[in-house]
CSV table of all heavy atoms in Angstrom, one decimal:
chain,number,residue,atom,x,y,z
G,643,PHE,N,-136.1,150.8,-65.8
G,643,PHE,CA,-134.9,150.6,-66.6
G,643,PHE,C,-134.0,151.7,-66.3
G,643,PHE,O,-134.3,152.8,-66.2
G,643,PHE,CB,-135.3,150.7,-68.1
G,643,PHE,CG,-136.2,149.6,-68.6
G,643,PHE,CD1,-137.5,149.8,-68.9
G,643,PHE,CD2,-135.6,148.3,-68.7
G,643,PHE,CE1,-138.3,148.7,-69.3
G,643,PHE,CE2,-136.5,147.2,-69.1
G,643,PHE,CZ,-137.8,147.5,-69.4
G,644,MET,N,-132.7,151.3,-66.1
G,644,MET,CA,-131.7,152.2,-65.9
G,644,MET,C,-130.7,152.2,-67.1
G,644,MET,O,-130.1,151.2,-67.4
G,644,MET,CB,-130.9,151.8,-64.6
G,644,MET,CG,-130.7,152.8,-63.7
G,644,MET,SD,-129.8,152.3,-62.2
G,644,MET,CE,-128.2,151.9,-62.9
G,645,ALA,N,-130.7,153.4,-67.7
G,645,ALA,CA,-129.8,153.4,-68.9
G,645,ALA,C,-128.4,153.7,-68.4
G,645,ALA,O,-128.2,154.4,-67.5
G,645,ALA,CB,-130.3,154.6,-69.8
G,646,ILE,N,-127.5,153.1,-69.1
G,646,ILE,CA,-126.1,153.3,-68.6
G,646,ILE,C,-125.5,154.4,-69.4
G,646,ILE,O,-125.8,154.7,-70.5
G,646,ILE,CB,-125.2,152.0,-68.8
G,646,ILE,CG1,-125.3,151.5,-70.2
G,646,ILE,CG2,-125.5,151.0,-67.7
G,646,ILE,CD1,-124.1,150.7,-70.6
G,647,THR,N,-124.5,155.1,-68.7
G,647,THR,CA,-123.8,156.2,-69.4
G,647,THR,C,-122.6,155.5,-70.0
G,647,THR,O,-122.0,154.6,-69.5
G,647,THR,CB,-123.3,157.2,-68.4
G,647,THR,OG1,-123.9,157.0,-67.2
G,647,THR,CG2,-123.6,158.6,-68.9
G,648,PHE,N,-122.3,155.9,-71.2
G,648,PHE,CA,-121.2,155.4,-71.9
G,648,PHE,C,-120.4,156.6,-72.5
G,648,PHE,O,-121.0,157.4,-73.2
G,648,PHE,CB,-121.6,154.5,-73.0
G,648,PHE,CG,-120.5,153.8,-73.7
G,648,PHE,CD1,-119.9,152.6,-73.2
G,648,PHE,CD2,-119.9,154.2,-74.9
G,648,PHE,CE1,-118.8,152.0,-73.8
G,648,PHE,CE2,-118.9,153.6,-75.5
G,648,PHE,CZ,-118.3,152.5,-74.9
G,649,GLY,N,-119.2,156.7,-72.1
G,649,GLY,CA,-118.4,157.9,-72.6
G,649,GLY,C,-117.1,157.9,-72.0
G,649,GLY,O,-116.6,157.0,-71.4
G,650,PRO,N,-116.4,159.1,-72.0
G,650,PRO,CA,-115.0,159.2,-71.5
G,650,PRO,C,-115.1,159.3,-69.9
G,650,PRO,O,-115.9,160.0,-69.4
G,650,PRO,CB,-114.5,160.5,-72.1
G,650,PRO,CG,-115.7,161.3,-72.4
G,650,PRO,CD,-116.8,160.3,-72.7
G,651,CYS,N,-114.2,158.6,-69.3
G,651,CYS,CA,-114.1,158.5,-67.8
G,651,CYS,C,-113.5,159.9,-67.3
G,651,CYS,O,-112.6,160.4,-68.0
G,651,CYS,CB,-113.2,157.4,-67.4
G,651,CYS,SG,-112.7,157.4,-65.7
G,652,ASP,N,-114.1,160.4,-66.3
G,652,ASP,CA,-113.6,161.7,-65.7
G,652,ASP,C,-112.2,161.7,-65.2
G,652,ASP,O,-111.5,162.7,-65.0
G,652,ASP,CB,-114.5,162.1,-64.5
G,652,ASP,CG,-115.8,162.7,-65.0
G,652,ASP,OD1,-115.9,163.0,-66.2
G,652,ASP,OD2,-116.8,162.8,-64.2
G,653,ASN,N,-111.7,160.4,-65.0
G,653,ASN,CA,-110.3,160.3,-64.4
G,653,ASN,C,-109.3,160.0,-65.5
G,653,ASN,O,-108.3,160.6,-65.6
G,653,ASN,CB,-110.3,159.2,-63.4
G,653,ASN,CG,-109.1,159.3,-62.5
G,653,ASN,OD1,-108.6,160.3,-62.1
G,653,ASN,ND2,-108.6,158.1,-62.1
G,654,CYS,N,-109.6,158.9,-66.3
G,654,CYS,CA,-108.6,158.4,-67.2
G,654,CYS,C,-108.9,158.7,-68.7
G,654,CYS,O,-108.2,158.4,-69.6
G,654,CYS,CB,-108.3,156.9,-67.1
G,654,CYS,SG,-109.8,156.0,-67.4
G,655,SER,N,-110.1,159.2,-69.0
G,655,SER,CA,-110.5,159.6,-70.3
G,655,SER,C,-110.8,158.5,-71.3
G,655,SER,O,-111.1,158.7,-72.4
G,655,SER,CB,-109.6,160.6,-70.9
G,655,SER,OG,-109.3,161.6,-70.1
G,656,THR,N,-110.7,157.2,-70.9
G,656,THR,CA,-111.0,156.2,-71.8
G,656,THR,C,-112.5,156.0,-72.0
G,656,THR,O,-113.2,156.2,-71.0
G,656,THR,CB,-110.4,154.8,-71.4
G,656,THR,OG1,-110.6,154.7,-70.0
G,656,THR,CG2,-108.9,154.7,-71.6
G,657,THR,N,-112.9,155.7,-73.2
G,657,THR,CA,-114.4,155.5,-73.4
G,657,THR,C,-114.8,154.1,-72.9
G,657,THR,O,-114.2,153.1,-73.4
G,657,THR,CB,-114.8,155.6,-74.9
G,657,THR,OG1,-113.5,155.9,-75.6
G,657,THR,CG2,-115.7,156.8,-75.1
G,658,SER,N,-115.7,154.1,-72.0
G,658,SER,CA,-116.2,152.8,-71.5
G,658,SER,C,-117.5,153.0,-70.7
G,658,SER,O,-117.9,154.1,-70.5
G,658,SER,CB,-115.1,152.2,-70.6
G,658,SER,OG,-115.0,153.0,-69.4
G,659,PRO,N,-118.2,151.9,-70.3
G,659,PRO,CA,-119.4,152.1,-69.5
G,659,PRO,C,-119.0,152.8,-68.2
G,659,PRO,O,-118.0,152.4,-67.6
G,659,PRO,CB,-119.9,150.7,-69.3
G,659,PRO,CG,-119.2,149.8,-70.3
G,659,PRO,CD,-118.0,150.5,-70.6
G,660,LEU,N,-119.7,153.8,-67.8
G,660,LEU,CA,-119.4,154.5,-66.6
G,660,LEU,C,-120.3,154.3,-65.4
G,660,LEU,O,-121.5,153.9,-65.5
G,660,LEU,CB,-119.5,156.0,-66.9
G,660,LEU,CG,-118.6,156.5,-68.1
G,660,LEU,CD1,-118.9,158.0,-68.4
G,660,LEU,CD2,-117.1,156.3,-67.7
G,661,MET,N,-119.6,154.4,-64.2
G,661,MET,CA,-120.4,154.2,-63.0
G,661,MET,C,-120.6,155.6,-62.4
G,661,MET,O,-119.7,156.5,-62.4
G,661,MET,CB,-119.6,153.4,-62.0
G,661,MET,CG,-119.5,151.9,-62.3
G,661,MET,SD,-118.4,151.0,-61.4
G,661,MET,CE,-118.9,151.2,-59.7
G,662,ASN,N,-121.8,155.9,-62.0
G,662,ASN,CA,-122.1,157.2,-61.4
G,662,ASN,C,-121.9,157.2,-59.9
G,662,ASN,O,-122.6,156.5,-59.2
G,662,ASN,CB,-123.6,157.6,-61.7
G,662,ASN,CG,-124.0,157.3,-63.1
G,662,ASN,OD1,-124.8,156.4,-63.3
G,662,ASN,ND2,-123.4,158.0,-64.0
G,663,ILE,N,-120.8,157.8,-59.4
G,663,ILE,CA,-120.5,157.8,-58.0
G,663,ILE,C,-120.4,159.2,-57.5
G,663,ILE,O,-120.4,160.2,-58.2
G,663,ILE,CB,-119.2,157.0,-57.7
G,663,ILE,CG1,-118.1,157.7,-58.6
G,663,ILE,CG2,-119.3,155.6,-58.1
G,663,ILE,CD1,-116.7,157.2,-58.1
G,664,TYR,N,-120.3,159.3,-56.2
G,664,TYR,CA,-120.2,160.6,-55.5
G,664,TYR,C,-118.8,160.6,-54.8
G,664,TYR,O,-118.5,159.7,-54.0
G,664,TYR,CB,-121.2,160.8,-54.4
G,664,TYR,CG,-122.6,161.0,-55.0
G,664,TYR,CD1,-123.4,160.0,-55.4
G,664,TYR,CD2,-123.1,162.3,-55.2
G,664,TYR,CE1,-124.6,160.1,-56.0
G,664,TYR,CE2,-124.3,162.5,-55.7
G,664,TYR,CZ,-125.1,161.4,-56.1
G,664,TYR,OH,-126.3,161.7,-56.7
G,665,ILE,N,-118.0,161.6,-55.1
G,665,ILE,CA,-116.7,161.8,-54.4
G,665,ILE,C,-116.9,163.1,-53.6
G,665,ILE,O,-117.0,164.2,-54.3
G,665,ILE,CB,-115.5,161.8,-55.4
G,665,ILE,CG1,-115.5,160.5,-56.1
G,665,ILE,CG2,-114.3,162.0,-54.6
G,665,ILE,CD1,-114.4,160.4,-57.1
G,666,LYS,N,-116.7,163.1,-52.3
G,666,LYS,CA,-116.9,164.3,-51.5
G,666,LYS,C,-118.2,165.0,-51.9
G,666,LYS,O,-118.3,166.2,-52.0
G,666,LYS,CB,-115.7,165.2,-51.7
G,666,LYS,CG,-114.4,164.7,-51.1
G,666,LYS,CD,-113.4,165.9,-50.9
G,666,LYS,CE,-112.0,165.5,-50.7
G,666,LYS,NZ,-111.6,164.3,-50.1
G,667,ASN,N,-119.2,164.2,-52.0
G,667,ASN,CA,-120.6,164.6,-52.3
G,667,ASN,C,-120.7,165.3,-53.7
G,667,ASN,O,-121.8,165.9,-54.0
G,667,ASN,CB,-121.1,165.7,-51.2
G,667,ASN,CG,-121.3,165.0,-49.9
G,667,ASN,OD1,-121.8,163.9,-49.8
G,667,ASN,ND2,-120.9,165.7,-48.8
G,668,GLU,N,-119.7,165.2,-54.5
G,668,GLU,CA,-119.8,165.7,-55.9
G,668,GLU,C,-120.0,164.5,-56.8
G,668,GLU,O,-119.3,163.5,-56.8
G,668,GLU,CB,-118.5,166.4,-56.3
G,668,GLU,CG,-118.2,167.7,-55.7
G,668,GLU,CD,-119.3,168.7,-56.1
G,668,GLU,OE1,-119.6,168.8,-57.3
G,668,GLU,OE2,-119.8,169.4,-55.2
G,669,PRO,N,-121.1,164.6,-57.7
G,669,PRO,CA,-121.3,163.5,-58.6
G,669,PRO,C,-120.3,163.4,-59.7
G,669,PRO,O,-120.0,164.5,-60.3
G,669,PRO,CB,-122.7,163.7,-59.2
G,669,PRO,CG,-122.9,165.2,-59.0
G,669,PRO,CD,-122.1,165.7,-57.8
G,670,THR,N,-119.7,162.3,-59.9
G,670,THR,CA,-118.7,162.1,-61.1
G,670,THR,C,-119.0,160.8,-61.8
G,670,THR,O,-119.7,159.9,-61.3
G,670,THR,CB,-117.3,162.1,-60.5
G,670,THR,OG1,-117.3,161.3,-59.3
G,670,THR,CG2,-116.7,163.5,-60.3
G,671,ASN,N,-118.4,160.6,-62.9
G,671,ASN,CA,-118.5,159.4,-63.7
G,671,ASN,C,-117.1,158.8,-63.9
G,671,ASN,O,-116.2,159.3,-64.6
G,671,ASN,CB,-119.1,159.7,-65.1
G,671,ASN,CG,-120.5,160.1,-65.0
G,671,ASN,OD1,-121.3,159.6,-64.2
G,671,ASN,ND2,-121.0,161.1,-65.9
G,672,TYR,N,-116.9,157.7,-63.3
G,672,TYR,CA,-115.6,157.0,-63.4
G,672,TYR,C,-115.9,155.7,-64.1
G,672,TYR,O,-116.9,155.0,-63.9
G,672,TYR,CB,-115.1,156.7,-62.0
G,672,TYR,CG,-114.2,157.7,-61.4
G,672,TYR,CD1,-114.3,159.1,-61.8
G,672,TYR,CD2,-113.2,157.4,-60.4
G,672,TYR,CE1,-113.4,160.0,-61.2
G,672,TYR,CE2,-112.4,158.3,-59.9
G,672,TYR,CZ,-112.5,159.7,-60.3
G,672,TYR,OH,-111.7,160.6,-59.7
G,673,CYS,N,-114.9,155.1,-64.8
G,673,CYS,CA,-115.0,153.8,-65.3
G,673,CYS,C,-114.7,152.8,-64.2
G,673,CYS,O,-114.1,153.2,-63.2
G,673,CYS,CB,-114.0,153.6,-66.5
G,673,CYS,SG,-112.3,153.6,-66.0
G,674,SER,N,-115.1,151.6,-64.3
G,674,SER,CA,-115.0,150.7,-63.2
G,674,SER,C,-113.5,150.4,-62.8
G,674,SER,O,-113.2,150.2,-61.6
G,674,SER,CB,-115.7,149.4,-63.5
G,674,SER,OG,-115.1,148.8,-64.6
G,675,PHE,N,-112.6,150.6,-63.7
G,675,PHE,CA,-111.2,150.4,-63.4
G,675,PHE,C,-110.7,151.5,-62.5
G,675,PHE,O,-110.0,151.2,-61.5
G,675,PHE,CB,-110.3,150.3,-64.7
G,675,PHE,CG,-108.9,150.1,-64.4
G,675,PHE,CD1,-108.4,148.9,-63.9
G,675,PHE,CD2,-107.9,151.1,-64.7
G,675,PHE,CE1,-107.1,148.7,-63.7
G,675,PHE,CE2,-106.6,150.9,-64.4
G,675,PHE,CZ,-106.2,149.6,-63.9
G,676,CYS,N,-111.0,152.7,-62.8
G,676,CYS,CA,-110.6,153.8,-61.9
G,676,CYS,C,-111.3,153.7,-60.5
G,676,CYS,O,-110.6,154.1,-59.5
G,676,CYS,CB,-111.0,155.1,-62.6
G,676,CYS,SG,-109.9,155.4,-64.0
G,677,VAL,N,-112.5,153.3,-60.5
G,677,VAL,CA,-113.2,153.1,-59.2
G,677,VAL,C,-112.4,152.1,-58.4
G,677,VAL,O,-112.2,152.3,-57.2
G,677,VAL,CB,-114.6,152.6,-59.4
G,677,VAL,CG1,-115.2,152.3,-58.0
G,677,VAL,CG2,-115.4,153.7,-60.1
G,678,GLU,N,-112.0,151.0,-59.0
G,678,GLU,CA,-111.2,149.9,-58.2
G,678,GLU,C,-109.9,150.6,-57.7
G,678,GLU,O,-109.5,150.3,-56.6
G,678,GLU,CB,-110.9,148.8,-59.1
G,678,GLU,CG,-112.1,147.8,-59.3
G,678,GLU,CD,-111.9,146.9,-60.4
G,678,GLU,OE1,-110.8,146.3,-60.5
G,678,GLU,OE2,-112.9,146.7,-61.2
G,679,MET,N,-109.2,151.3,-58.6
G,679,MET,CA,-107.9,151.9,-58.2
G,679,MET,C,-108.1,152.8,-57.0
G,679,MET,O,-107.3,152.7,-56.1
G,679,MET,CB,-107.4,152.8,-59.4
G,679,MET,CG,-106.9,152.0,-60.6
G,679,MET,SD,-105.4,151.0,-60.2
G,679,MET,CE,-104.2,152.3,-60.4
G,680,MET,N,-109.2,153.5,-57.0
G,680,MET,CA,-109.5,154.4,-55.9
G,680,MET,C,-109.8,153.7,-54.6
G,680,MET,O,-109.4,154.1,-53.6
G,680,MET,CB,-110.7,155.3,-56.3
G,680,MET,CG,-110.9,156.5,-55.4
G,680,MET,SD,-112.2,157.5,-56.0
G,680,MET,CE,-113.6,156.4,-55.8
G,681,ALA,N,-110.5,152.5,-54.8
G,681,ALA,CA,-110.8,151.8,-53.6
G,681,ALA,C,-109.6,151.1,-53.0
G,681,ALA,O,-109.6,150.8,-51.9
G,681,ALA,CB,-111.8,150.7,-54.1
G,682,CYS,N,-108.5,150.9,-53.8
G,682,CYS,CA,-107.3,150.3,-53.2
G,682,CYS,C,-106.4,151.2,-52.6
G,682,CYS,O,-105.4,150.9,-52.0
G,682,CYS,CB,-106.6,149.5,-54.3
G,682,CYS,SG,-107.6,148.2,-54.9
G,683,GLN,N,-106.7,152.6,-52.7
G,683,GLN,CA,-105.8,153.5,-52.1
G,683,GLN,C,-105.9,153.4,-50.6
G,683,GLN,O,-106.9,153.1,-50.0
G,683,GLN,CB,-106.2,155.0,-52.4
G,683,GLN,CG,-105.9,155.4,-53.8
G,683,GLN,CD,-106.5,156.7,-54.2
G,683,GLN,OE1,-107.6,157.0,-53.7
G,683,GLN,NE2,-105.8,157.5,-54.9
G,684,GLY,N,-104.8,153.7,-49.9
G,684,GLY,CA,-104.8,153.7,-48.4
G,684,GLY,C,-105.4,155.0,-48.0
G,684,GLY,O,-106.1,155.7,-48.7
G,685,LEU,N,-105.2,155.3,-46.7
G,685,LEU,CA,-105.7,156.6,-46.1
G,685,LEU,C,-105.1,157.8,-46.8
G,685,LEU,O,-103.9,157.8,-46.9
G,685,LEU,CB,-105.5,156.6,-44.6
G,685,LEU,CG,-106.3,155.6,-43.7
G,685,LEU,CD1,-105.8,155.5,-42.4
G,685,LEU,CD2,-107.8,156.0,-43.8
G,686,LEU,N,-106.0,158.7,-47.1
G,686,LEU,CA,-105.4,160.0,-47.7
G,686,LEU,C,-105.1,161.0,-46.5
G,686,LEU,O,-105.5,160.7,-45.4
G,686,LEU,CB,-106.4,160.6,-48.7
G,686,LEU,CG,-106.7,159.8,-49.9
G,686,LEU,CD1,-107.7,160.5,-50.7
G,686,LEU,CD2,-105.5,159.5,-50.7
G,687,LYS,N,-104.5,162.1,-46.9
G,687,LYS,CA,-104.2,163.1,-45.9
G,687,LYS,C,-105.5,163.6,-45.3
G,687,LYS,O,-106.4,163.9,-46.0
G,687,LYS,CB,-103.5,164.3,-46.6
G,687,LYS,CG,-102.8,165.2,-45.6
G,687,LYS,CD,-102.1,166.3,-46.4
G,687,LYS,CE,-101.5,167.3,-45.4
G,687,LYS,NZ,-100.9,168.4,-46.0
G,688,GLY,N,-105.5,163.7,-44.0
G,688,GLY,CA,-106.7,164.2,-43.3
G,688,GLY,C,-107.7,163.1,-42.9
G,688,GLY,O,-108.7,163.4,-42.3
G,689,GLU,N,-107.5,161.9,-43.4
G,689,GLU,CA,-108.4,160.9,-43.1
G,689,GLU,C,-107.9,159.9,-42.1
G,689,GLU,O,-106.7,159.6,-42.1
G,689,GLU,CB,-108.7,160.1,-44.4
G,689,GLU,CG,-109.7,160.8,-45.4
G,689,GLU,CD,-109.8,159.9,-46.7
G,689,GLU,OE1,-109.0,159.0,-46.9
G,689,GLU,OE2,-110.7,160.2,-47.5
G,690,THR,N,-108.7,159.4,-41.3
G,690,THR,CA,-108.3,158.3,-40.4
G,690,THR,C,-109.3,157.2,-40.5
G,690,THR,O,-110.4,157.5,-41.0
G,690,THR,CB,-108.3,158.8,-38.9
G,690,THR,OG1,-109.6,159.1,-38.6
G,690,THR,CG2,-107.4,159.9,-38.6
G,691,LEU,N,-109.0,156.1,-40.1
G,691,LEU,CA,-109.9,154.9,-40.2
G,691,LEU,C,-111.2,155.3,-39.5
G,691,LEU,O,-112.3,155.0,-39.9
G,691,LEU,CB,-109.3,153.7,-39.5
G,691,LEU,CG,-109.9,152.3,-39.8
G,691,LEU,CD1,-110.0,152.1,-41.3
G,691,LEU,CD2,-109.2,151.2,-39.2
Side-chain angles (χ1 to χ4, degrees):
Chain G
F643 293 108
M644 228 179 65
I646 49 156
T647 350
F648 186 81
C651 167
D652 282 345
N653 195 39
C654 65
S655 310
T656 43
T657 2
S658 65
L660 299 175
M661 287 172 58
N662 317 111
I663 57 167
Y664 289 82
I665 302 180
K666 291 199 197 331
N667 293 322
E668 287 296 315
T670 38
N671 291 325
Y672 270 25
C673 68
S674 58
F675 181 66
C676 290
V677 172
E678 282 166 43
M679 291 289 282
M680 195 175 64
C682 294
Q683 284 173 326
L685 290 169
L686 297 176
K687 193 175 172 187
E689 284 178 344
T690 63
L691 195 59

